[in-house]
């Protein structure tokens, strides 16, 4: 397996802080490499020695079962040494600062840092202060680049040419790091990007990013080739700008009945974890159009690709 | 690193005693009070202006300053400063803060009350007054409007006005209760004293930056423009109702500016100020994630900056004031969400004005100087007619065209949180004179 990926080109980016600012060639290289790693995951051994001797630390300052497991799996499949560090963001406000924490861990000789943090731009601070390769596993509502890459991979597997295809992100756009990264990635692939949800969950001036906005789910269902259903954060919303989950489900929840008006080959994605019965119904989540479990497997494969490709810069990130 | 000077006693005043007689030769006097610009020498004797005339001959023992090619102007007034003393002396104190001021040509300033303890009674007020005596820079302490700036009970204004308070402000937060605001404006009306308002509706104040395309792309929590303008609208209504005098601090959005413009047309006693960062930078700067661009009100859009320029020109915005807000680097060098709001301003107020207003033809030099000399003094009912025989020599000598690079390590503040680090500025203050003292750059 190593041979299939060795000798490939290098990424232009040295870290993965966000999709914004990346070039299409980098994304293509990552997707291509991801497909190779996906084949590895289908072999009985499931493992390569690509990152032997490389130490990766997963720093998670927010709860995330799914992304953390996916990264950890990817790192172990690549034979990296893995260290996990979890704490709440609020501990950073009181105790040791992020920079001190990270520098301390780096002093123990690590090579790559995967971080989830509640503050947009926290990864830039790490990059400015460390020598390690930095990978963003989500920073507030800013970016979640590896999610966008695995989403893109899942879409391109079914629809290789995205040019002119309409991809709709449904739901909570304003609090979503997935939305921002997806928008940047999809636009690099020439897709038309649309966002759909209640007006209070659509952030200001998003149309200036070249994104179409609709509040009407039926319209979005009719004109979309792909729909990415974002998670409604149950604990966050109800209040001044969100009446109830009941109303949300009735007007923006994806049901099979509503999907009847969609194109035959519409693709349904969900980055997880799903709130069944809120943004997505059982019959859609388990139905014919969804690629939700493909996304999970692609997540491991693409994170392997990202770790592997970025590891070429170890020791020379700056 | 400068921040290591934690021991306040290490921080020495940068001024020297002014020689008995000083002759400023060959300068161009620019006087925003009379709106005149003329070639003249100025003779200072015992700290007072003795003579303003051409070709004054230097007497024996008279020290000469060659001001050829330089401007001589009244000292600048920054009506919005956080000196951090008492309570936060690791960020700034009276000596370091006034050092920064004089390096920026600021000979007088208004210090806000959000200190610990809060300046909400005569005893704290008088204590501060006695401790800022004898400095080159005149520190005008502004007491709070309400006890502990809690927005509930108004301070003993009569006593404080008698003790010398020129205005009141709860700056740092808005006054939530309309009833309290009405009471404060109505009470202060007895003395003709303005209430300086930090316009902010607290229900919108959860964010860290302006609500705009930038906050959308950055995924940051946001403060909408209306967080400010709603409060401006309310307080204009209250000022009209009680015939009070209100001054809006650091206006930043076009909507607030339009409200003030209308109120002025109506003849209401309403004035406002803008900060240098709000006339020179936009919220695009936040894309760098540097906490040196985290301030409250936040940096706004280009449209707002354009509205600020227009309002400076047409007089809707009366004054430029910095909202100088030092924070120690350990507080600022953290994640954007966790950093405190605020940036330095004293040392770059003048150069930012020259660079972003005068050189870009938004204001003439005279118009700009009015906003940092005459107007703030008028708003606070302080003497504004300054370049006259017999007056205290409160002067700045500057080179309008001198180019320099702002370097946070070279600033005189104890803190380094400038939003102009590495920016090329024009306009440099070479001498600052006041109270029989002189600062030389
Ligand atoms: Zn304020």
């Amino acid at each position: 397996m190593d041979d299939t990926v060795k000798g490939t080109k290098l990424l232009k980016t040295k870290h993965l802080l966000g999709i914004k600012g990346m070039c299409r060639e980098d994304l293509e290289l990552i997707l291509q490499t991801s497909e190779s790693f996906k084949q590895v995951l289908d072999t009985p051994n499931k493992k390569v020695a690509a990152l032997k001797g490389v130490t990766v630390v997963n720093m998670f300052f927010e709860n995330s079962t799914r992304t953390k497991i996916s990264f950890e799996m990817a790192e172990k499949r690549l034979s990296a040494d893995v260290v996990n560090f979890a704490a709440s963001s609020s501990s950073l406000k009181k105790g040791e600062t992020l920079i001190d924490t990270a520098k301390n861990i780096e002093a123990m000789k690590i090579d790559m840092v995967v971080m989830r943090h509640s503050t947009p731009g926290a990864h830039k601070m790490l990059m400015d202060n460390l020598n390690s390769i930095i990978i963003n596993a989500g920073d507030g509502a800013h970016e979640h680049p590896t999610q966008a890459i695995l989403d893109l991979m899942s879409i391109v597997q079914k629809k290789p040419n995205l040019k002119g295809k309409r991809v709709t992100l449904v739901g909570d756009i304003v609090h979503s790091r997935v939305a921002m990264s997806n928008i940047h990635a999809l636009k690099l692939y020439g897709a038309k990007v649309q966002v759909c949800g209640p007006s209070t969950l659509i952030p200001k001036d998003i149309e200036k990013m070249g994104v179409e906005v609709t509040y009407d789910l039926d319209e979005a269902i009719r004109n979309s080739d792909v729909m990415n259903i974002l998670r409604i954060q149950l604990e966050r919303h109800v209040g001044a700008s969100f009446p109830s989950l009941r109303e949300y489900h009735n007007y923006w929840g994806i049901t099979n009945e509503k999907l009847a008006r969609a194109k035959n080959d519409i693709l349904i994605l969900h980055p997880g974890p799903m709130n069944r019965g809120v943004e997505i119904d059982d019959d859609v989540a388990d139905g014919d159009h969804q690629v939700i479990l493909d996304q999970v497997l692609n997540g491991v494969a693409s994170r392997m690709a990202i770790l592997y490709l970025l590891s070429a810069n170890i020791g020379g990130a700056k | 690193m400068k921040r290591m000077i934690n021991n306040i006693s290490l921080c020495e005043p940068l001024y020297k005693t002014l020689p008995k007689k000083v002759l400023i030769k060959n300068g161009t006097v620019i006087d925003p009070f009379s709106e005149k610009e003329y070639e003249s020498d100025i003779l200072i004797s015992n700290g007072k202006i003795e003579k303003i005339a051409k070709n004054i001959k230097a007497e024996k023992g008279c020290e000469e300053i060659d001001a050829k090619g330089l401007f001589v102007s009244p000292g600048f007034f920054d009506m919005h400063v956080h000196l951090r003393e008492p309570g936060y002396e690791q960020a700034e104190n009276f000596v370091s803060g006034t050092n920064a001021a004089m390096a920026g040509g600021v000979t007088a300033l208004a210090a806000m009350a959000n200190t610990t303890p809060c300046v909400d009674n005569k005893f704290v007020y008088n204590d501060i007054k006695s401790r800022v005596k004898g400095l080159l820079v005149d520190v005008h302490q502004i007491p709070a409007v309400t006890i502990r700036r809690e927005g509930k009970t108004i301070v003993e204004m009569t006593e404080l006005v008698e003790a010398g308070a020129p205005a009141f402000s709860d700056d740092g937060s808005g006054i939530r209760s309309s009833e309290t605001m009405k009471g404060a404006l109505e009470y202060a009306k007895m003395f003709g004293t303005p209430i300086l308002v930090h316009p902010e509706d607290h229900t919108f104040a959860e964010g860290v930056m302006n609500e705009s395309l930038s906050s959308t792309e950055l995924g940051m929590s946001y403060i909408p423009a209306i967080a400010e303008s709603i409060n401006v609208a309310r307080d204009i209504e209250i000022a009209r109702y009680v015939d009070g005098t209100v001054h809006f601090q650091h206006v930043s959005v076009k909507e607030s500016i339009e409200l003030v413009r209308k109120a002025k047309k109506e003849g209401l006693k309403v004035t406002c100020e803008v900060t240098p960062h709000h006339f020179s930078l936009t919220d695009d700067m936040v894309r760098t994630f540097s906490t040196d661009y985290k301030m409250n009100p936040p940096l706004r859009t280009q449209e707002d900056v354009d509205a600020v320029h227009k309002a400076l020109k047409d007089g809707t915005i009366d004054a430029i004031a910095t909202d100088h807000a030092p924070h120690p680097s350990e507080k600022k060098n953290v994640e954007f969400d966790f950093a405190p709001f605020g940036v330095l301003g004293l040392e770059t107020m003048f150069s930012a004005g020259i660079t972003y207003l005068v050189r870009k033809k938004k204001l003439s030099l005279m118009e700009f100087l009015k906003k940092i000399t005459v107007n703030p003094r008028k708003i606070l009912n302080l003497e504004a007619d300054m370049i006259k025989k017999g007056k205290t020599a409160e002067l700045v000598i500057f080179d309008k065209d001198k180019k320099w690079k702002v370097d946070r390590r070279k600033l005189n503040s104890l803190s380094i949180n400038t939003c102009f680090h590495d920016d090329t500025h024009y306009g440099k203050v070479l001498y600052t004179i006041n109270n029989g003292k002189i600062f030389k750059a």
Side-chain angles (χ1 to χ4, degrees):
Chain A
M1 160 63 210
D2 276 314
D3 293 327
T4 46
V5 273
K6 259 186 191 149
T8 48
K9 290 174 281 178
L10 288 176
L11 290 176
K12 293 201 177 65
T13 186
K14 301 272 181 252
H15 305 268
L16 184 63
L17 300 200
I19 303 291
K20 175 141 188 179
M22 280 182 84
C23 57
R24 178 163 172 167
E25 292 71 52
D26 272 6
L27 284 182
E28 277 171 0
L29 177 55
I30 292 170
L31 290 200
Q32 192 190 320
T33 314
S34 303
E35 291 296 343
S36 317
F37 278 120
K38 200 173 163 230
Q39 288 165 25
V40 173
L41 292 174
D42 286 334
T43 66
N45 188 25
K46 306 189 204 60
K47 205 164 168 173
V48 285
L51 290 196
K52 210 166 170 62
V54 171
T55 306
V56 186
V57 57
N58 299 313
M59 292 171 67
F60 277 69
F61 293 100
E62 268 189 340
N63 283 333
S64 155
T65 315
R66 184 171 291 254
T67 306
K68 200 172 149 195
I69 287 180
S70 181
F71 264 109
E72 208 176 326
M73 194 74 88
E75 290 149 8
K76 288 183 170 160
R77 298 282 190 232
L78 291 167
S79 308
D81 295 318
V82 181
V83 185
N84 288 308
F85 177 90
S88 71
S89 286
S90 58
S91 71
L92 291 168
K93 269 193 257 187
K94 296 175 210 125
E96 195 178 44
T97 63
L98 172 62
I99 294 175
D100 284 337
T101 305
K103 278 188 171 167
N104 265 283
I105 295 174
E106 187 175 59
M108 299 179 208
K109 302 288 176 200
I110 54 156
D111 303 298
M112 306 178 91
V113 178
V114 174
M115 183 168 80
R116 160 73 59 92
H117 194 291
S118 63
T119 297
H123 297 79
K124 171 144 192 307
M125 272 183 78
L126 277 198
M127 187 180 80
D128 292 344
N129 285 281
L130 299 186
N131 295 309
S132 304
I133 309 289
I134 313 294
I135 297 171
N136 182 357
D139 58 336
H142 179 220
E143 286 232 35
H144 192 358
T146 59
Q147 179 71 47
I149 287 166
L150 77 88
D151 287 349
L152 188 64
M153 183 180 173
S154 308
I155 296 170
V156 171
Q157 280 168 355
K158 305 278 179 194
K159 298 182 188 294
N161 184 7
L162 269 183
K163 197 165 166 55
K165 295 270 192 304
R166 185 177 278 108
V167 181
T168 304
L169 302 158
V170 183
D172 182 3
I173 313 297
V174 70
H175 298 106
S176 175
R177 47 181 159 240
V178 178
M180 268 318 121
S181 291
N182 258 278
I183 290 169
H184 295 309
L186 290 165
K187 290 187 74 76
L188 279 178
Y189 268 67
K192 284 191 236 169
V193 185
Q194 176 173 257
V195 294
C196 175
S199 50
T200 47
L201 295 185
I202 300 202
K204 192 171 172 64
D205 291 343
I206 195 167
E207 62 283 353
K208 289 187 187 160
M209 295 176 73
V211 168
E212 302 167 319
V213 176
T214 178
Y215 309 132
D216 181 350
L217 183 68
D218 275 346
E219 180 193 323
I221 283 176
R222 276 196 299 270
N223 69 18
S224 298
D225 299 287
V226 179
M227 288 189 124
N228 198 341
I229 317 302
L230 304 180
R231 174 182 159 74
I232 288 292
Q233 303 208 14
L234 301 174
E235 63 289 350
R236 177 133 58 182
H237 289 310
V238 175
S241 49
F242 191 88
S244 69
L245 292 174
R246 177 179 169 274
E247 171 143 315
Y248 184 83
H249 178 254
N250 285 345
Y251 290 88
W252 291 280
I254 310 290
T255 63
N256 248 354
E257 196 191 349
K258 291 179 196 163
L259 270 191
R261 276 154 283 183
K263 294 184 186 170
N264 285 333
D265 61 344
I266 190 169
L267 217 56
I268 303 289
L269 286 83
H270 191 301
M274 287 186 278
N275 296 304
R276 287 171 184 258
V278 180
E279 71 266 4
I280 191 164
D281 265 11
D282 275 349
D283 46 12
V284 180
D286 306 321
D288 298 336
H289 295 292
Q290 57 85 19
V291 288
I292 296 169
L293 292 178
D294 293 5
Q295 285 175 272
V296 177
L297 181 64
N298 288 337
V300 177
S302 60
R303 287 178 176 119
M304 288 171 81
I306 290 159
L307 286 156
Y308 171 73
L309 289 167
L310 286 175
S311 73
N313 299 314
I314 288 172
K318 281 197 172 169
Chain B
M1 206 160 102
K2 184 152 50 69
R3 260 288 294 125
M4 299 309 285
I5 310 168
N6 267 331
N7 187 343
I8 292 152
S9 63
L10 285 179
C11 184
E12 294 288 342
L14 292 174
Y15 54 75
K16 295 204 168 63
T17 305
L18 195 66
K20 224 167 154 352
K21 295 233 175 210
V22 178
L23 180 60
I24 304 170
K25 283 291 284 178
N26 304 319
T28 302
V29 175
I30 180 158
D31 180 6
F33 185 85
S34 63
E35 296 197 38
K36 287 200 173 104
E37 189 181 320
Y38 50 94
E39 311 284 310
S40 180
D41 300 345
I42 295 181
L43 179 64
I44 302 168
S45 169
N46 294 317
K48 293 210 178 334
I49 296 177
E50 188 179 300
K51 200 173 180 187
I52 307 164
K54 277 192 181 170
N55 303 317
I56 302 175
K57 290 270 172 312
E59 298 168 33
K60 240 196 160 170
C62 177
E63 192 157 312
E64 267 187 62
I65 295 173
D66 182 14
K68 196 164 175 52
L70 306 177
F71 283 97
V72 184
S73 128
F76 308 148
F77 194 110
D78 184 350
M79 67 180 298
H80 194 144
V81 176
H82 299 273
L83 284 182
R84 301 294 187 220
E85 185 172 351
Y88 309 96
E89 293 87 348
Q90 77 273 32
E92 197 82 286
N93 58 69
F94 293 135
V95 174
S96 67
T98 54
N99 279 346
M102 63 186 96
V106 172
T107 54
L109 58 86
M112 295 302 131
N114 59 338
T115 48
T116 306
C118 175
V119 191
D120 58 7
N121 62 70
K122 183 181 78 174
F123 308 101
V124 179
Y125 177 81
N126 280 342
D127 178 58
I128 289 173
K129 218 171 157 182
S130 70
R131 287 193 292 139
V132 296
K133 236 184 217 143
L135 296 169
L136 182 150
V137 176
D138 298 320
V139 175
H140 298 274
Q141 179 63 49
I142 306 296
V145 179
T146 63
I147 301 294
R148 287 186 294 276
R149 301 189 307 114
E150 282 171 354
K152 291 182 185 131
T153 309
I154 57 172
V155 299
E156 294 171 328
M157 289 188 182
T158 318
E159 191 168 77
L160 281 157
V161 167
E162 230 168 54
F168 298 92
S169 177
D170 271 3
D171 182 57
S173 34
I175 294 175
R176 299 180 183 197
S177 154
S178 308
E179 187 194 18
T180 306
M181 191 60 198
K182 173 177 178 282
L185 275 172
E186 203 162 16
Y187 202 88
K189 181 175 81 164
M190 290 191 285
F191 332 108
T193 302
I195 303 290
L196 318 181
V197 171
H198 164 115
E200 180 178 22
D201 181 320
H202 73 279
T203 59
F204 288 117
E206 288 294 301
V208 297
M209 72 170 294
N210 184 40
E211 181 177 20
S212 66
L213 176 62
S214 299
S215 65
T216 292
E217 282 197 50
L218 296 174
M220 290 212 187
S221 55
Y222 44 76
I223 305 170
I226 53 171
E228 178 180 304
S229 58
I230 283 174
N231 200 164
V232 169
R234 182 197 72 171
D235 290 353
I236 286 172
E237 286 305 301
I238 298 174
R240 177 193 290 116
Y241 189 73
V242 302
D243 191 27
T245 306
V246 64
H247 170 81
F248 293 107
Q249 301 178 293
H250 47 56
V251 294
S252 65
V253 296
K254 56 184 191 308
E255 292 84 357
S256 307
I257 290 167
E258 199 44 49
L259 288 163
V260 171
R261 184 175 283 126
K262 275 192 199 142
K264 285 187 162 193
K265 255 187 207 147
E266 257 188 81
L268 301 181
K269 284 173 270 186
V270 172
T271 53
C272 70
E273 70 189 34
V274 70
T275 70
H277 42 273
H278 287 114
F279 68 61
S280 45
L281 306 172
T282 68
D283 60 9
D284 267 344
M285 299 306 287
V286 182
R287 291 172 188 268
T288 64
F289 296 112
S290 164
T291 58
D292 288 337
Y293 304 111
K294 183 174 177 183
M295 51 283 260
N296 187 21
L299 296 175
R300 305 290 190 177
T301 65
Q302 187 59 49
E303 255 182 88
D304 294 304
V305 174
D306 292 344
V308 163
H309 291 161
K310 190 167 159 257
L312 279 165
K313 184 77 184 174
D314 73 13
T316 302
I317 297 176
D318 303 270
I320 289 164
T322 64
D323 196 3
H324 181 79
H327 291 290
S329 51
E330 69 268 15
K331 290 257 165 62
K332 271 291 201 184
N333 200 13
V334 295
E335 295 90 316
F336 202 89
D337 281 352
F338 304 157
F341 292 102
V343 291
L344 301 181
L346 280 165
E347 278 168 271
T348 46
M349 172 170 78
F350 172 68
S351 58
I354 295 290
T355 309
Y356 290 96
L357 298 175
V358 179
R359 289 180 71 93
K360 300 207 164 172
K361 307 241 182 304
K362 308 293 177 193
L363 291 182
S364 69
L365 179 62
M366 184 70 85
E367 287 166 329
F368 167 53
L369 289 176
K370 271 185 110 162
K371 315 265 183 204
I372 58 170
T373 57
V374 178
N375 293 359
R377 288 178 171 94
K378 279 189 177 164
I379 291 165
L380 297 174
N381 299 313
L382 301 167
E383 208 177 340
D385 182 9
M386 295 162 72
I387 303 191
K388 254 190 173 173
K389 194 182 160 184
K391 301 263 178 184
T392 298
E394 185 176 352
L395 302 170
V396 172
I397 303 173
F398 63 80
D399 180 341
K400 179 172 77 81
D401 302 313
K402 193 175 165 78
K403 189 169 148 182
W404 61 293
K405 198 163 219 180
V406 180
D407 180 345
R408 61 183 171 207
R409 287 157 303 214
K410 289 186 183 154
L411 297 178
N412 293 290
S413 171
L414 270 192
S415 297
I416 59 172
N417 52 314
T418 173
C419 58
F420 293 117
H421 179 61
D422 251 357
D423 199 16
T424 299
H425 277 199
Y426 294 86
K428 187 90 184 151
V429 169
L430 301 177
Y431 299 90
T432 306
I433 298 168
N434 190 24
N435 294 334
K437 299 177 173 65
I438 182 165
F439 161 86
K440 281 187 207 182

